[in-house]
């Protein structure tokens, strides 16, 4: 399968901020590739180098060393051509408060050179797709946070890009808005669009991503499918047993054992006349992998983001 992104030795070093400080190696020799049509998760703590990597891949920052190809083009010499074929959704929206939802989309298409005759019909299609048809004439500033995120993604898709960078797309959204955006991201994969996703929500990455890269202090520490990463955790098999007594009160027990059958036997032997409501096999989660590799829990990640994700 062809690569939408190919990175080798990618490095970014920032000069010292003052006389007493040292150069900051924000990205340190990254090697990875993203296949066409996949949803690729790029995870790590704050300050790990995620945003710097995106800035280099989208032409907003120059690498100090190494190289990167996006859609087969070298970011060092063909960034103008690359920008015509990618969409970028920053963590903070870049749309215009005073323009209506529809006019923001039309303006985005104008910037990307979409033929005039296609702009309005394409804008109407995007508004309908993202559930914003009734807000077509509403100024961007008046939209809810979820609607703003949806419109920002719609604007990034206005010119039908082959590759979309999504930087924290569901940060700060309510449950329903976040769910709708995740559904949209899954829809992009079905259309063959490659998605490069950063998120602080590990469950979101586990649900959406075909593969996940974890970066810590500018270095790649893991890269695999979600199942591959979860399978790398050295952990005993365990089961969860949910019991209920005659009054309906429930109790959950978790038992670890190298022999799953033995664990089940132990759980049933300890039921003491109570009904067994469920027996579930417990497997490591992406959060377990992340904690082991970074020493940082999902909750700590959210706190780093000010509780917004």
């Amino acid at each position: 399968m062809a690569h939408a992104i190919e990175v080798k030795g990618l490095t970014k070093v920032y000069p010292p901020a003052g006389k007493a400080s040292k150069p900051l190696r924000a990205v340190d020799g990254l090697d990875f590739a993203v296949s066409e049509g996949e949803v690729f998760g790029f995870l790590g703590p704050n300050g790990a180098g995620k945003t710097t990597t995106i800035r280099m891949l989208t032409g907003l920052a120059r690498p100090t060393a190494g190289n990167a190809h996006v859609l087969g083009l070298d970011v060092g010499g063909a960034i103008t051509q690359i920008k015509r074929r990618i969409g970028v959704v920053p963590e903070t929206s870049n749309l215009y408060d005073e323009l209506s939802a529809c006019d923001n989309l039309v303006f985005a298409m104008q910037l990307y050179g979409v033929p005039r005759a296609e702009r309005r019909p394409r804008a109407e299609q995007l508004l309908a797709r993202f559930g914003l048809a009734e807000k077509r004439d509403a100024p961007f500033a008046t939209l809810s946070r979820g609607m703003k995120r949806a419109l920002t993604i719609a604007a990034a898709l206005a010119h039908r890009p082959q590759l979309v960078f999504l930087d924290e797309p569901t940060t700060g959204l309510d449950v329903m808005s976040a769910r709708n955006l995740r559904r949209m991201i899954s829809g992009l994969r079905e259309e063959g669009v490659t998605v490069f996703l950063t998120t602080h929500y590990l469950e979101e990455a586990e649900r959406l991503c075909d593969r996940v890269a974890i970066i810590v202090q500018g270095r790649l520490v893991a890269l695999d499918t979600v199942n591959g990463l979860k399978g790398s955790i050295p952990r005993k098999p365990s089961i969860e047993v949910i019991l209920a007594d005659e009054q309906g009160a429930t109790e959950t027990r978790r038992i670890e054992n190298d022999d799953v059958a033995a664990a089940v036997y132990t759980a049933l032997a300890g039921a003491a006349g109570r009904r067994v409501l469920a027996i579930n096999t417990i497997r490591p989660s992406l959060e377990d992998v992340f904690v082991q590799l970074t020493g940082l829990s999902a909750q700590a990640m959210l706190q780093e983001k000010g509780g917004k994700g």
Side-chain angles (χ1 to χ4, degrees):
M1 182 177 290
H3 291 147
I5 300 173
E6 190 168 11
V7 166
K8 293 183 178 179
L10 191 65
T11 300
K12 181 64 177 179
V13 180
Y14 290 103
K19 292 183 179 180
S21 63
K22 298 179 180 180
L24 173 63
R25 187 171 289 269
V27 175
D28 192 1
L30 292 184
D31 292 310
F32 66 85
V34 179
S35 299
E36 290 182 351
E38 77 170 325
V39 177
F40 186 85
F42 200 57
L43 310 183
N46 272 2
K50 304 186 302 297
T51 298
T52 300
T53 301
I54 290 179
R55 287 176 60 83
M56 288 189 284
L57 294 177
T58 58
L60 296 177
R62 287 191 173 188
T64 304
N67 59 74
H69 288 78
V70 174
L71 300 175
L73 300 170
D74 189 341
V75 297
I79 197 61
T80 300
Q81 297 97 303
I82 291 172
K83 286 183 176 180
R84 294 195 188 106
R85 298 167 61 186
I86 65 173
V88 181
V89 181
E91 185 176 356
T92 302
S93 178
N94 55 357
L95 300 188
Y96 295 92
D97 284 345
E98 68 275 12
L99 294 183
S100 69
C102 185
D103 286 344
N104 261 300
L105 296 181
V106 170
F107 183 65
M109 283 182 265
Q110 183 179 344
L111 292 178
Y112 281 106
V114 175
R116 181 185 296 271
E118 296 180 18
R119 294 173 194 167
R120 289 283 170 182
R122 172 71 174 158
E124 298 292 351
Q125 291 173 1
L126 286 167
L127 289 170
R129 173 181 174 180
F130 284 84
L132 296 169
E134 294 182 359
K135 297 291 184 179
R136 66 178 312 283
D137 298 318
F140 181 75
T142 67
L143 300 179
S144 69
R145 179 175 287 179
M147 290 178 179
K148 286 180 177 179
R149 293 303 288 163
L151 189 67
T152 303
I153 295 176
L157 299 175
H159 57 298
R160 294 185 172 87
Q162 298 167 253
L163 166 64
V164 179
F165 292 88
L166 299 178
D167 193 4
E168 305 287 347
T170 59
T171 293
L173 297 186
D174 61 71
V175 173
M176 287 306 300
S177 295
R179 181 180 297 175
N180 289 337
L181 282 182
R182 292 184 189 113
R183 189 178 299 117
M184 295 171 198
I185 294 169
S186 295
L188 293 177
R189 180 204 282 115
E190 294 170 5
E191 295 175 15
V193 177
T194 306
V195 178
F196 190 97
L197 170 71
T198 73
T199 178
H200 273 68
Y201 293 112
L202 298 178
E203 289 185 3
E204 181 171 84
E206 186 166 354
R207 188 179 309 165
L208 291 174
C209 297
D210 299 300
R211 291 189 302 143
V212 168
I214 299 177
I215 181 175
V216 177
Q217 295 182 342
R219 296 181 179 180
L220 195 67
V221 298
L223 172 58
D224 204 341
T225 63
V226 171
N227 285 336
L229 288 174
K230 291 193 292 186
S232 68
I233 294 292
R235 185 170 170 179
K236 287 185 177 181
S238 61
I239 63 166
E240 178 185 74
V241 179
I242 302 175
L243 304 171
D245 60 21
E246 294 180 356
Q247 287 71 41
T250 60
E251 176 190 356
T252 300
R253 291 185 177 182
R254 185 165 176 170
I255 300 172
E256 289 189 355
N257 196 309
D258 289 322
D259 185 339
V260 174
V264 173
Y265 177 80
T266 300
L268 294 178
R274 286 169 291 182
R275 290 182 296 121
V276 177
L277 298 182
I279 299 177
N280 303 311
T281 301
I282 304 299
R283 295 181 174 86
S285 67
L286 186 59
E287 180 177 345
D288 295 324
V289 178
F290 189 88
V291 169
Q292 177 166 313
L293 293 174
T294 68
L296 187 66
S297 69
Q299 187 60 38
M301 284 183 70
L302 296 181
Q303 290 172 352
E304 280 191 347
K305 295 290 290 182
K308 298 185 296 182

